[in-house]
Amino acid sequence: MNLAELNKVALAMVAPGKGILAADESSGTIKKRFDGINVESTEESRRDYREMLLRSSEAMTKSISGVILYDETIWQNARDGTPLVKIIEQSGATPGIKVDEGTQALPNCPGELVTVGLDKLAERLKKYYDRGARFAKWRAVINIDKDKIPSMTAIHVNAHALGRYAALCQVAEIVPIVEPEVLMDGDHDIDRCYEVSQRVLNKTFQELRIQRVALEGMVLKPNMVVPGKKSTKQASVEEVAEKTIRLLKNCVPAAVPGIAFLSGGQSDEDATAHLDAMNRIGGLPWRLTFSYGRALQAAPLRAWSGKAENVAAGQRAFTHRARMNSLATKGEWKADLEKKAA
Ligand code: 13P
């Protein structure tokens, strides 16, 4: 393992003013997104949509440090034959790849999931490296429900798999994004999210240590500490920022170069406001940025709606969200910048 090189890539992924575009929706998930705008999901329409994002040169050069791709996309070429990976590299961003193979029901734990995909992962990583991927992503999903969910079992097996994946990535000279996502579905309050996220992060870092993962050569992708979507007690931006920072300070070693949050179903503007408020707190040992899927793509997806004549509008919408989040990485975002653009 070349730790200096892994550390360099990890730091570039969280460079000030930049963050990660998560464009790694599985074929099932992108179909759901396309259903929402009445567009048929075909290999070509998926390519056209992602090409539109990757050719948004202002966003890509100024605000995006890396792009997480799905297996299909990493092998695809743009309409003019240029590999999509090359378009990312030409913009100065780093290509990355989702390597987990989704979730399965966890035996003996009704309502809980385990992420799969470790079999043959070493071979797959080699192929992705040769294609240009310099980082990868693996998402573990933890549900919150009444009393017994999450179980210790679900937290343990998912953390163990994250450790296995991260160690394999580093041997392959690929920076692992370690993503233990506590879902915001449900009616739990913000303190329950804090408590569960703390258990999950502690177990995850324990497994990373046991499996000898070099913390300087990874990026953490956590959820923010937020109430469940159906909670009757919603939280202010300041409370989310303060509790998320408190959690991270308690659980994430300073050797980790950066933390890139998922948006997890927050509104576009909430995801930006929360990141901004955390960066205003300052004095942190790690860089804090975004690795958003929905909060970067909902607006461009709507503006594009599958029509070639809307490509420029889609790119404008993407560029705007990327710029807002870029400002938030520096604690320089203001709500009225959103209104001016509307
Ligand atoms: P969201 O920002 O839509 O949660 O997606 C990020 C991601 O990569 C989830 O794995």
Side-chain angles (χ1 to χ4, degrees):
M1 179 203 313
N2 180 347
L3 187 52
E5 186 55 33
L6 289 174
N7 181 246
K8 201 169 116 195
V9 172
L11 284 171
M13 287 161 68
V14 295
K18 291 193 175 184
I20 297 165
L21 166 64
D24 59 328
E25 298 83 4
S26 64
S27 301
T29 302
I30 196 79
K31 181 178 180 315
K32 260 192 255 159
R33 307 269 188 270
F34 279 16
D35 285 349
I37 52 165
N38 281 320
V39 172
E40 194 190 347
S41 180
T42 63
E43 207 179 318
E44 197 181 344
S45 64
R46 294 191 289 271
R47 191 274 313 275
D48 287 349
Y49 169 64
R50 286 162 171 155
E51 179 176 352
M52 171 186 85
L53 297 177
L54 303 179
R55 285 201 191 273
S56 304
S57 55
E58 187 185 333
M60 290 296 298
T61 54
K62 292 191 180 152
S63 312
I64 301 295
S65 58
V67 183
I68 318 176
L69 301 170
Y70 184 59
D71 179 72
E72 175 184 89
T73 322
I74 201 169
W75 305 109
Q76 271 178 330
N77 295 333
R79 262 181 191 260
D80 69 1
T82 314
L84 293 178
V85 171
K86 281 278 160 305
I87 297 174
I88 297 171
E89 287 167 348
Q90 281 161 6
S91 72
T94 306
I97 180 78
K98 182 232 287 292
V99 299
D100 69 67
E101 293 178 329
T103 55
Q104 288 181 358
L106 180 61
N108 306 320
C109 298
E112 298 193 280
L113 300 167
V114 59
T115 301
V116 298
L118 289 168
D119 290 350
K120 309 236 166 59
L121 180 54
E123 289 90 323
R124 285 161 57 218
L125 287 168
K126 240 185 230 126
K127 288 192 199 133
Y128 290 140
Y129 183 93
D130 290 343
R131 183 69 176 174
R134 291 296 175 270
F135 69 92
K137 173 189 121 171
W138 178 288
R139 173 175 176 252
V141 188
I142 302 292
N143 257 316
I144 298 184
D145 207 340
K146 305 278 174 267
D147 302 343
K148 294 203 174 66
I149 294 185
S151 64
M152 200 180 68
T153 315
I155 293 176
H156 180 90
V157 296
N158 277 294
H160 183 263
L162 279 167
R164 292 281 315 277
Y165 141 82
L168 285 165
C169 283
Q170 290 190 333
V171 167
E173 309 299 350
I174 286 181
V175 171
I177 294 184
V178 172
E179 181 180 3
E181 175 174 5
V182 176
L183 295 178
M184 60 187 288
D185 300 335
D187 59 7
H188 55 274
D189 65 14
I190 190 169
D191 293 325
R192 175 105 164 103
C193 176
Y194 185 106
E195 174 238 328
V196 171
S197 302
Q198 184 169 36
R199 284 166 62 202
V200 168
L201 285 176
N202 284 340
K203 193 72 189 170
T204 300
F205 279 98
Q206 183 188 28
E207 282 294 336
L208 293 172
R209 279 201 190 90
I210 290 171
Q211 301 189 45
R212 305 181 184 188
V213 173
L215 300 184
E216 297 91 338
M218 64 163 273
V219 169
L220 179 71
K221 177 164 173 168
N223 53 284
M224 296 179 196
V225 179
V226 288
K229 269 189 232 154
K230 293 195 216 124
S231 173
T232 49
K233 279 195 282 176
Q234 286 303 315
S236 67
V237 170
E238 289 67 33
E239 186 179 6
V240 170
E242 183 263 310
K243 289 189 168 158
T244 305
I245 292 296
R246 195 171 136 232
L247 171 78
L248 296 173
K249 279 187 173 170
N250 273 286
C251 303
V252 184
V256 172
I259 295 173
F261 292 100
L262 58 93
S263 60
Q266 298 178 39
S267 73
D268 297 358
E269 201 170 320
D270 279 355
T272 306
H274 291 150
L275 179 62
D276 181 70
M278 286 188 266
N279 277 310
R280 279 174 197 267
I281 292 173
L284 305 171
W286 350 259
R287 294 180 185 163
L288 295 188
T289 187
F290 57 91
S291 175
Y292 293 161
R294 282 161 286 181
L296 275 173
Q297 292 190 58
L301 194 61
R302 260 193 320 272
W304 172 65
S305 287
K307 299 199 175 74
E309 65 267 29
N310 291 342
V311 162
Q315 291 180 327
R316 270 197 305 278
F318 175 50
T319 304
H320 174 66
R321 284 267 47 89
R323 196 169 79 82
M324 294 298 101
N325 286 305
S326 163
L327 290 169
T329 68
K330 298 183 280 186
E332 293 172 3
W333 172 82
K334 289 190 189 70
D336 60 358
L337 293 171
E338 298 282 353
K339 288 183 197 96
K340 268 184 220 148

Coordinates of all heavy atoms in Angstrom, one line a residue, residues 135-194:
F135 N -10.9 6.1 -6.2 CA -11.6 5.8 -4.9 C -12.8 5.0 -5.2 O -13.2 4.8 -6.3 CB -11.9 7.2 -4.2 CG -12.9 8.0 -4.9 CD1 -14.3 7.9 -4.5 CD2 -12.6 9.0 -5.8 CE1 -15.3 8.7 -5.1 CE2 -13.6 9.8 -6.5 CZ -14.9 9.6 -6.1
A136 N -13.3 4.5 -4.1 CA -14.5 3.6 -4.2 C -15.5 3.9 -3.0 O -15.2 4.7 -2.2 CB -14.1 2.1 -4.0
K137 N -16.7 3.4 -3.1 CA -17.7 3.6 -2.1 C -18.4 2.3 -1.8 O -18.7 1.5 -2.6 CB -18.7 4.6 -2.6 CG -19.9 4.8 -1.7 CD -21.0 5.6 -2.3 CE -22.3 4.8 -2.3 NZ -23.4 5.6 -2.7
W138 N -18.7 2.1 -0.5 CA -19.5 1.0 0.0 C -20.4 1.6 1.0 O -20.0 2.2 2.0 CB -18.5 0.0 0.7 CG -19.2 -1.2 1.3 CD1 -20.0 -1.3 2.4 CD2 -19.2 -2.6 0.8 NE1 -20.4 -2.6 2.7 CE2 -19.9 -3.4 1.7 CE3 -18.5 -3.2 -0.3 CZ2 -20.0 -4.8 1.5 CZ3 -18.7 -4.6 -0.5 CH2 -19.4 -5.3 0.4
R139 N -21.7 1.3 0.8 CA -22.7 1.9 1.7 C -23.4 0.8 2.6 O -23.9 -0.1 2.0 CB -23.8 2.6 0.8 CG -25.0 3.1 1.6 CD -25.9 3.9 0.6 NE -27.1 4.3 1.2 CZ -28.3 3.8 0.9 NH1 -28.5 2.7 0.1 NH2 -29.4 4.3 1.5
A140 N -23.3 1.0 3.9 CA -24.0 0.2 4.8 C -25.3 1.0 5.2 O -25.2 2.2 5.3 CB -23.1 -0.1 6.0
V141 N -26.4 0.2 5.4 CA -27.6 0.9 5.7 C -28.1 0.4 7.1 O -28.3 -0.8 7.3 CB -28.7 0.5 4.7 CG1 -30.0 1.4 4.9 CG2 -28.2 0.8 3.3
I142 N -28.3 1.4 8.0 CA -28.8 1.0 9.3 C -30.2 1.7 9.5 O -30.3 2.9 9.4 CB -27.8 1.5 10.4 CG1 -26.4 0.9 10.2 CG2 -28.4 1.3 11.8 CD1 -26.4 -0.6 10.5
N143 N -31.2 0.9 9.8 CA -32.5 1.4 10.1 C -32.7 1.8 11.5 O -32.2 1.1 12.4 CB -33.5 0.2 9.8 CG -34.2 0.4 8.5 OD1 -34.6 1.5 8.1 ND2 -34.2 -0.7 7.8
I144 N -33.6 2.8 11.8 CA -34.0 3.0 13.2 C -35.5 2.7 13.2 O -36.3 3.2 12.4 CB -33.8 4.5 13.6 CG1 -32.3 4.9 13.5 CG2 -34.3 4.7 15.0 CD1 -32.0 6.3 14.0
D145 N -35.8 1.9 14.2 CA -37.2 1.6 14.4 C -37.4 1.4 15.9 O -36.5 1.5 16.7 CB -37.6 0.3 13.6 CG -39.1 0.3 13.3 OD1 -39.9 1.1 13.9 OD2 -39.5 -0.4 12.3
K146 N -38.6 1.0 16.3 CA -38.9 0.8 17.8 C -37.8 0.0 18.5 O -37.3 -1.0 17.9 CB -40.2 0.2 18.0 CG -41.4 0.9 17.3 CD -41.9 2.1 18.1 CE -42.9 2.9 17.3 NZ -42.3 4.0 16.6
D147 N -37.5 0.3 19.7 CA -36.7 -0.4 20.6 C -35.5 -1.2 20.0 O -34.4 -0.9 20.2 CB -37.5 -1.4 21.5 CG -38.6 -0.7 22.2 OD1 -38.4 0.6 22.3 OD2 -39.6 -1.3 22.7
K148 N -35.8 -2.4 19.4 CA -34.7 -3.3 19.1 C -34.0 -3.1 17.7 O -33.1 -3.8 17.4 CB -35.3 -4.7 19.2 CG -35.7 -5.1 20.6 CD -35.7 -6.6 20.8 CE -36.0 -7.0 22.2 NZ -37.4 -6.7 22.6
I149 N -34.4 -2.1 17.0 CA -33.8 -1.8 15.7 C -33.1 -0.4 15.8 O -33.8 0.5 16.0 CB -34.8 -1.9 14.6 CG1 -35.3 -3.3 14.4 CG2 -34.2 -1.4 13.3 CD1 -36.2 -3.6 13.3
P150 N -31.8 -0.3 15.5 CA -30.9 -1.4 15.0 C -30.5 -2.4 16.1 O -30.2 -2.0 17.2 CB -29.7 -0.6 14.5 CG -29.7 0.6 15.3 CD -31.1 1.0 15.6
S151 N -30.3 -3.6 15.7 CA -29.8 -4.6 16.6 C -28.3 -4.5 16.6 O -27.6 -4.0 15.7 CB -30.2 -6.0 16.1 OG -29.6 -6.2 14.8
M152 N -27.7 -5.1 17.7 CA -26.2 -5.1 17.7 C -25.7 -5.9 16.5 O -24.6 -5.6 16.0 CB -25.8 -5.8 19.0 CG -24.4 -5.6 19.5 SD -24.2 -6.5 21.0 CE -24.2 -8.2 20.5
T153 N -26.5 -7.0 16.1 CA -26.1 -7.8 15.0 C -25.9 -7.0 13.7 O -24.9 -7.1 13.0 CB -27.1 -8.9 14.8 OG1 -27.5 -9.5 16.1 CG2 -26.6 -10.0 13.9
A154 N -26.9 -6.2 13.4 CA -26.9 -5.4 12.2 C -25.7 -4.4 12.2 O -25.0 -4.3 11.2 CB -28.2 -4.6 12.0
I155 N -25.5 -3.8 13.3 CA -24.4 -2.8 13.4 C -23.0 -3.6 13.2 O -22.1 -3.1 12.5 CB -24.4 -2.1 14.8 CG1 -25.7 -1.2 14.8 CG2 -23.1 -1.2 15.0 CD1 -25.9 -0.4 16.1
H156 N -22.9 -4.7 13.9 CA -21.7 -5.5 13.8 C -21.4 -6.0 12.4 O -20.2 -5.8 11.9 CB -21.7 -6.6 14.8 CG -20.5 -7.5 14.8 ND1 -19.5 -7.2 15.6 CD2 -20.1 -8.5 14.1 CE1 -18.5 -8.1 15.4 NE2 -18.9 -8.9 14.4
V157 N -22.3 -6.7 11.8 CA -22.0 -7.3 10.5 C -21.7 -6.2 9.4 O -20.9 -6.3 8.5 CB -23.1 -8.2 10.0 CG1 -23.2 -9.5 10.9 CG2 -24.4 -7.6 9.8
N158 N -22.4 -5.1 9.5 CA -22.2 -4.0 8.5 C -20.9 -3.3 8.7 O -20.2 -3.0 7.8 CB -23.4 -3.0 8.5 CG -24.6 -3.5 7.7 OD1 -24.5 -3.6 6.5 ND2 -25.7 -3.8 8.4
A159 N -20.5 -3.1 10.0 CA -19.2 -2.5 10.3 C -18.1 -3.5 9.8 O -17.1 -3.0 9.3 CB -19.1 -2.2 11.7
H160 N -18.3 -4.7 10.1 CA -17.3 -5.7 9.7 C -17.1 -5.7 8.1 O -15.9 -5.7 7.6 CB -17.7 -7.1 10.1 CG -16.7 -8.2 9.8 ND1 -16.8 -9.0 8.7 CD2 -15.5 -8.5 10.5 CE1 -15.7 -9.8 8.7 NE2 -15.0 -9.5 9.8
A161 N -18.2 -5.6 7.4 CA -18.1 -5.6 5.9 C -17.4 -4.3 5.5 O -16.6 -4.3 4.5 CB -19.5 -5.7 5.3
L162 N -17.7 -3.2 6.1 CA -17.0 -1.9 5.8 C -15.5 -2.1 6.0 O -14.7 -1.6 5.1 CB -17.6 -0.8 6.6 CG -18.9 -0.2 6.1 CD1 -19.5 0.7 7.2 CD2 -18.7 0.6 4.8
G163 N -15.1 -2.7 7.0 CA -13.7 -2.9 7.3 C -13.0 -3.8 6.2 O -12.0 -3.5 5.7
R164 N -13.7 -4.9 5.9 CA -13.2 -5.8 4.8 C -13.0 -5.1 3.5 O -12.0 -5.2 2.9 CB -14.2 -7.0 4.6 CG -14.3 -8.0 5.7 CD -13.2 -9.0 5.8 NE -12.8 -9.6 4.5 CZ -13.4 -10.6 4.0 NH1 -14.4 -11.2 4.5 NH2 -12.9 -11.1 2.8
Y165 N -14.0 -4.3 3.2 CA -14.0 -3.6 1.9 C -12.9 -2.5 1.9 O -12.1 -2.4 1.0 CB -15.4 -2.9 1.7 CG -15.4 -1.5 1.2 CD1 -15.2 -1.3 -0.2 CD2 -15.5 -0.4 2.0 CE1 -15.2 0.0 -0.7 CE2 -15.4 0.9 1.5 CZ -15.3 1.1 0.2 OH -15.3 2.4 -0.3
A166 N -12.8 -1.8 3.0 CA -11.8 -0.7 3.1 C -10.3 -1.3 3.0 O -9.5 -0.7 2.3 CB -11.9 0.1 4.4
A167 N -10.1 -2.4 3.7 CA -8.8 -3.0 3.6 C -8.4 -3.4 2.2 O -7.3 -3.2 1.7 CB -8.7 -4.1 4.6
L168 N -9.4 -4.1 1.5 CA -9.2 -4.5 0.2 C -8.9 -3.3 -0.8 O -8.1 -3.4 -1.6 CB -10.4 -5.3 -0.3 CG -10.5 -6.7 0.2 CD1 -11.9 -7.3 0.0 CD2 -9.4 -7.6 -0.3
C169 N -9.6 -2.2 -0.6 CA -9.4 -1.0 -1.4 C -8.0 -0.5 -1.3 O -7.3 -0.2 -2.3 CB -10.4 0.1 -1.0 SG -12.0 -0.1 -1.6
Q170 N -7.5 -0.4 0.0 CA -6.2 0.2 0.2 C -5.1 -0.6 -0.4 O -4.1 -0.1 -1.0 CB -6.0 0.5 1.7 CG -6.9 1.6 2.2 CD -6.6 2.1 3.6 OE1 -6.0 1.3 4.4 NE2 -6.9 3.3 3.9
V171 N -5.3 -2.0 -0.3 CA -4.3 -2.8 -1.0 C -4.2 -2.6 -2.5 O -3.2 -2.7 -3.1 CB -4.6 -4.3 -0.6 CG1 -3.8 -5.3 -1.5 CG2 -4.3 -4.6 0.8
A172 N -5.4 -2.3 -3.1 CA -5.5 -2.0 -4.5 C -5.2 -0.6 -4.9 O -5.5 -0.2 -6.0 CB -6.9 -2.4 -5.0
E173 N -4.7 0.2 -3.9 CA -4.3 1.6 -4.2 C -5.6 2.5 -4.5 O -5.5 3.4 -5.2 CB -3.3 1.8 -5.3 CG -2.0 1.0 -5.1 CD -1.2 1.2 -3.9 OE1 -1.5 2.2 -3.2 OE2 -0.3 0.4 -3.6
I174 N -6.7 2.1 -3.9 CA -7.9 2.8 -4.1 C -8.4 3.4 -2.7 O -8.4 2.6 -1.7 CB -9.0 1.9 -4.7 CG1 -8.6 1.7 -6.2 CG2 -10.4 2.5 -4.5 CD1 -9.6 0.8 -6.9
V175 N -8.7 4.6 -2.6 CA -9.2 5.2 -1.4 C -10.6 4.8 -1.1 O -11.5 5.0 -1.9 CB -9.1 6.8 -1.4 CG1 -9.8 7.4 -0.2 CG2 -7.7 7.3 -1.6
P176 N -10.9 4.2 0.1 CA -12.2 3.8 0.4 C -13.0 4.9 1.0 O -12.6 5.6 1.9 CB -12.1 2.6 1.4 CG -10.8 2.9 2.1 CD -9.9 3.7 1.0
I177 N -14.2 5.2 0.4 CA -15.2 6.0 1.1 C -16.0 5.0 2.0 O -16.6 4.0 1.5 CB -16.2 6.7 0.2 CG1 -15.5 7.7 -0.7 CG2 -17.3 7.4 1.0 CD1 -16.4 8.5 -1.6
V178 N -15.9 5.2 3.3 CA -16.6 4.3 4.2 C -17.9 5.0 4.6 O -17.9 6.1 5.2 CB -15.7 4.1 5.5 CG1 -16.4 3.4 6.6 CG2 -14.4 3.4 5.1
E179 N -19.0 4.4 4.2 CA -20.3 5.0 4.3 C -21.3 4.2 5.2 O -22.0 3.3 4.7 CB -21.0 5.2 3.0 CG -22.3 5.9 3.1 CD -23.0 6.2 1.7 OE1 -22.5 5.8 0.7 OE2 -24.1 6.8 1.7
P180 N -21.3 4.5 6.5 CA -22.3 3.8 7.4 C -23.5 4.7 7.5 O -23.5 5.7 8.3 CB -21.6 3.6 8.7 CG -20.5 4.7 8.7 CD -20.4 5.3 7.3
E181 N -24.5 4.5 6.7 CA -25.7 5.4 6.7 C -26.8 5.0 7.7 O -27.4 4.0 7.5 CB -26.3 5.5 5.3 CG -27.5 6.4 5.3 CD -28.1 6.7 3.9 OE1 -27.7 6.2 2.9 OE2 -29.1 7.5 3.9
V182 N -27.0 5.9 8.6 CA -28.2 5.7 9.5 C -29.4 6.4 8.8 O -29.3 7.7 8.6 CB -28.0 6.3 10.9 CG1 -29.2 6.2 11.8 CG2 -26.8 5.5 11.6
L183 N -30.4 5.7 8.5 CA -31.5 6.3 7.7 C -32.3 7.3 8.4 O -32.5 7.2 9.7 CB -32.4 5.2 7.1 CG -31.8 4.2 6.2 CD1 -32.8 3.1 5.8 CD2 -31.3 4.9 4.9
M184 N -32.9 8.3 7.7 CA -33.7 9.3 8.4 C -35.2 8.9 8.2 O -36.1 9.7 8.5 CB -33.4 10.7 8.0 CG -33.5 11.0 6.5 SD -32.9 12.7 6.1 CE -34.2 13.7 6.8
D185 N -35.5 7.7 7.8 CA -36.9 7.2 7.7 C -37.4 7.0 9.1 O -36.6 6.6 10.0 CB -37.0 5.9 6.9 CG -36.5 6.1 5.5 OD1 -36.6 7.2 5.0 OD2 -36.1 5.1 4.9
G186 N -38.7 7.3 9.4 CA -39.2 7.0 10.7 C -39.5 8.2 11.5 O -39.4 9.3 11.0
D187 N -40.0 8.0 12.7 CA -40.5 9.1 13.5 C -39.7 9.4 14.8 O -40.1 10.1 15.7 CB -42.0 8.9 13.9 CG -42.2 7.7 14.7 OD1 -41.2 7.0 15.1 OD2 -43.3 7.3 15.0
H188 N -38.5 8.9 14.8 CA -37.6 9.1 15.9 C -37.1 10.5 16.0 O -37.1 11.2 15.0 CB -36.4 8.2 15.8 CG -35.6 8.3 14.5 ND1 -36.0 7.6 13.4 CD2 -34.6 9.1 14.2 CE1 -35.2 8.0 12.4 NE2 -34.3 8.8 12.8
D189 N -36.7 10.9 17.2 CA -36.2 12.3 17.3 C -34.7 12.4 17.1 O -34.0 11.4 16.9 CB -36.6 12.9 18.7 CG -36.0 12.3 19.9 OD1 -35.0 11.5 19.7 OD2 -36.4 12.5 21.0
I190 N -34.2 13.6 17.1 CA -32.8 13.9 16.8 C -31.8 13.2 17.8 O -30.8 12.7 17.4 CB -32.5 15.4 16.7 CG1 -31.1 15.6 16.1 CG2 -32.6 16.1 18.0 CD1 -30.8 17.1 15.7
D191 N -32.2 13.1 19.0 CA -31.3 12.4 20.0 C -31.2 10.9 19.8 O -30.2 10.3 20.1 CB -31.8 12.8 21.4 CG -31.6 14.3 21.7 OD1 -30.7 14.9 21.2 OD2 -32.5 14.9 22.4
R192 N -32.3 10.3 19.3 CA -32.2 8.9 19.0 C -31.3 8.7 17.8 O -30.5 7.8 17.8 CB -33.6 8.4 18.7 CG -33.6 6.9 18.2 CD -34.1 6.0 19.3 NE -34.5 4.7 18.7 CZ -33.8 3.6 18.8 NH1 -32.6 3.6 19.5 NH2 -34.2 2.5 18.2
C193 N -31.3 9.6 16.8 CA -30.4 9.5 15.7 C -29.0 9.7 16.2 O -28.1 8.9 15.7 CB -30.7 10.6 14.7 SG -29.6 10.7 13.3
Y194 N -28.8 10.6 17.1 CA -27.4 10.8 17.7 C -26.9 9.5 18.3 O -25.8 9.0 18.1 CB -27.4 11.9 18.7 CG -26.1 12.2 19.3 CD1 -25.4 13.4 18.9 CD2 -25.4 11.4 20.2 CE1 -24.2 13.7 19.4 CE2 -24.1 11.7 20.7 CZ -23.5 12.9 20.3 OH -22.3 13.2 20.7

